Amino acid sequence: MHKLTGPLLLLGSGADAASIRYATGFSAPDAVVYLRWKRRQWLVVPVLEISRARAATSGVTVLSPLDLALSKTARRDVGAWMLALLARLRCRRVCVTPSFPVGTARRLERRGLRLRVLAGAVFPEREIKSSREIEKISAVQRAAVAALRRAIRCLRAARIAPDRRLLWHGRVLTSEALQLEIGMELLRQGCQPGDIIAACGEQAVNPHACGAGPLQAGQPIVMDIFPRHATTGYWGDLTRTVVKGRAAPALRRAHQAVDAAQKAALGRVKAGVAVATVHRAAEAVFRRRGYATDLRGPVPRGFIHGTGHGVGLEIHEAPTLAAVPGRLKAGQIVTVEPGLYYPGLGGIRREDTILVTRRGWRYLAPCQVPREV
Amino acid sequence: MHKLTGPLLLLGSGADAASIRYATGFSAPDAVVYLRWKRRQWLVVPVLEISRARAATSGVTVLSPLDLALSKTARRDVGAWMLALLARLRCRRVCVTPSFPVGTARRLERRGLRLRVLAGAVFPEREIKSSREIEKISAVQRAAVAALRRAIRCLRAARIAPDRRLLWHGRVLTSEALQLEIGMELLRQGCQPGDIIAACGEQAVNPHACGAGPLQAGQPIVMDIFPRHATTGYWGDLTRTVVKGRAAPALRRAHQAVDAAQKAALGRVKAGVAVATVHRAAEAVFRRRGYATDLRGPVPRGFIHGTGHGVGLEIHEAPTLAAVPGRLKAGQIVTVEPGLYYPGLGGIRREDTILVTRRGWRYLAPCQVPREV
């Protein structure tokens, strides 16, 4: 646990929810209150969650609003839970995260509590994954690989129609059909699908466009699969771009450049290396091969995002792999995902989720896919 | 739009995200900044979202951090986006929601901005659904009904083994298998499954337990299906409890009581009626039939939650149907979901999502399921 100078108070409905799950093992759809003080931990949860919370946690005092002797109206008021818990413990000052809601913060202050807003991460140790966490994230990453393989099988089995659309089982193969196949496989693997990107050609110029409509031969098809495990709550993240049929030379060169950029970035990954070094390794490959980045036009083009991000109980968590301060640490799990995006050419991205080690890195789940299928 | 006395500033990564989607039609996985002032609207989004945000919105000025002439480090800092946008517009005071992050609030205040924290909902009109919203939520609710029907078909097709477990396609039928069938159907219907409850017997005593392991004949099987549409972002919510084979008399009576409580609660639903009246109608049925509620024991028992909640761009939104102030309004979409939970008997819940009208209410998607299958 992180050393703090005072009691730590979290409100778990939003950004703090992942931290509460990390600290206690419990997560709920509705707001819960977490307090840590002098090595003791408390959770206040709705009445209907009380036995589930007690079963999921150990070493945590789990209370319901009823245990705090609240009036009937205050029982539905999470701010009142906090005030009652802090009053009972005679706690007059608390540390909160920057994402703590300002409305609750002001209310606590009006009641005489002193609030300190933490500057950094509340649990910086969340960045360093334990062996159990590594296994959990690896399991999700293997599920993503299985789902991608399923999508590749569909694309392989598809025929190219004279109009360049793809036909699969007698129907036009669409982004939606590919998303469905990917989602079904993720469900079978115990994961929650959420958003799935299967975007073709021009659509993939927007890195976060999910894609819709018929897929086309000869165009890049970006498949970005980031499932969350239904029971552990951990995420995985995997992207491959493939072309059905043959790619034109310009597309093939860009595709090769993205693969080379990922290889170059991965080549720099090691504990102690600056995150900016990894990002610049990818940038350098693109620059050397003549792929310019222009962020200022109406449609940003080139390598228009960072090289990666941490993955854990949140899909985007620390660290960020970009032109920012900071160094890699052993035990971090991060994506390495350079991409190129040009109107007229389409979008291309390649992403793996890896474990940073003292000597380098390793895949959580390797994934071999040809560029053309 | 809601009348506010000053510029409205939202940070869309958490509670405010649904409001931003409501106001602009745009949603993103990462934080975005929304400002409304004098009938104009602005969005600041990451560079890689800029063309997607422009395509999704109309009448909104969409900016990226680059448009705000920020330094390279400030480009990744959402608080800096806000400060730059407000400075450019010479805006010195803003309204924020109670869920606005306290860290950002303090930073704005240190820079001389005056913050007013709104007391009520930022867009109270979100409670009143337009005909387009009603159709979107109805579509999700129909998907939930289709998924429930699929689960019922599995249960119908299952055989009861001598040990009371269920056999389906030669295997023991589990909660997980039922969740998978439900999830697959939701995917086919264009929805994101998320958590799915298919909990049997004692497990269902926790209303939010998803359920795991073999299902048993003669036990209540609670199926609570709350999908979100993959493209519209709207939710649906449906629960039925069924027994495979024959229920013992005590279970059958409790099952009938839950159905009667829902009927009684629905019987009170009409614009202008106090939400507490609806809740008390369900409570009264349970009390008359001898089902006591005890919230204080180690395992809460009886009718241990409210009668319902609003459904829209959030799965739990205003209004709350419980012993709280407030009256129903025409155009609200709410769940009506009484339940009983007793160790030894199991959990039973019945939930429909309905539209409140001037004269009463109507189902978004009716769902007839026998208590025993």
Side-chain angles (χ1 to χ4, degrees), chain A residues 49 51 106 109 206 208, chain B residues 30 49 51 106 109 206 208:
Chain A
E49 297 286 14
S51 46
R106 291 206 171 171
E109 286 173 331
N206 292 326
H208 283 169
Chain B
D30 298 309
E49 297 285 15
S51 46
R106 292 205 169 174
E109 286 173 331
N206 292 325
H208 283 169

Side-chain angles (χ1 to χ4, degrees), chain A residues 34 55 62 70 77 92 97 114 117 133 170 190 194 250 333 341 352 370:
Chain A
Y34 170 88
V62 179
L70 291 168
D77 171 358
R92 302 302 304 157
T97 63
R114 272 195 300 141
V117 180
E133 288 183 292
I333 287 180
Y341 309 88
D352 285 281

Side-chain angles (χ1 to χ4, degrees), chain A residues 17-249:
Chain A
S19 292
I20 294 178
R21 185 165 197 168
Y22 183 81
T24 69
F26 180 67
S27 75
D30 298 309
V32 302
V33 171
Y34 170 88
L35 177 71
R36 199 187 67 208
W37 193 18
K38 295 176 185 166
R39 297 179 176 275
R40 284 193 63 192
Q41 295 181 97
W42 291 262
L43 266 179
V44 190
V45 304
V47 166
L48 83 165
E49 297 286 14
I50 196 99
S51 46
R52 208 168 62 87
R54 287 196 177 122
T57 59
S58 76
V60 178
T61 304
V62 179
L63 303 171
S64 89
L66 291 171
D67 299 316
L68 296 168
L70 291 168
S71 74
K72 215 158 185 178
T73 48
R75 276 183 214 160
R76 299 192 152 262
D77 171 358
V78 179
W81 304 0
M82 283 188 185
L83 287 167
L85 177 64
L86 296 171
R88 169 185 287 202
L89 301 173
R90 298 173 194 280
C91 180
R92 302 302 304 157
R93 64 195 170 85
V94 286
C95 297
V96 300
T97 63
S99 60
F100 193 83
V102 66
T104 313
R106 291 206 171 171
R107 188 165 163 199
L108 297 182
E109 286 173 331
R110 278 197 300 273
R111 294 286 288 268
L113 280 143
R114 272 195 300 141
L115 256 69
R116 191 181 132 215
V117 180
L118 297 170
V122 56
F123 297 129
E125 64 272 30
R126 263 182 65 190
E127 273 187 47
I128 311 302
K129 269 61 180 180
S130 70
S131 55
R132 281 176 61 190
E133 288 183 292
I134 293 166
E135 182 38 43
K136 284 173 181 167
I137 302 169
S138 299
V140 183
Q141 194 65 12
R142 287 192 296 269
V145 171
L148 183 84
R149 287 219 177 98
R150 192 178 165 86
I152 299 283
R153 278 199 299 275
C154 299
L155 288 168
R156 278 224 171 90
R159 283 193 308 111
I160 301 176
D163 65 358
R164 309 295 286 159
R165 295 196 293 184
L166 310 184
L167 297 172
W168 182 61
H169 291 316
R171 286 199 194 164
V172 172
L173 184 61
T174 59
S175 287
E176 291 86 345
L178 222 48
Q179 289 155 3
L180 181 58
E181 292 297 319
I182 291 167
M184 298 259 197
E185 186 59 38
L186 293 175
L187 278 179
R188 274 186 213 103
Q189 305 271 343
C191 293
Q192 294 177 346
D195 286 332
I196 296 165
I197 293 175
C200 180
E202 284 302 296
Q203 292 179 0
V205 174
N206 292 326
H208 283 169
C210 287
L215 302 169
Q216 299 276 342
Q219 297 284 327
I221 300 169
V222 176
M223 289 173 285
D224 191 341
I225 305 175
F226 41 106
R228 183 171 195 239
H229 198 274
T231 51
T232 71
Y234 282 88
W235 295 80
D237 207 346
L238 174 74
T239 305
R240 286 293 184 275
T241 304
V242 299
V243 176
K244 172 69 180 179
R246 288 180 68 79

Side-chain angles (χ1 to χ4, degrees), chain B residues 155-168 215-218 243-246 373:
Chain B
L155 288 167
R156 278 223 171 93
R159 285 194 305 111
I160 301 175
D163 64 0
R164 309 295 286 157
R165 295 196 292 184
L166 310 185
L167 296 173
W168 183 60
L215 302 168
Q216 299 275 341
V243 176
K244 172 67 180 180
R246 287 180 70 79
V373 298

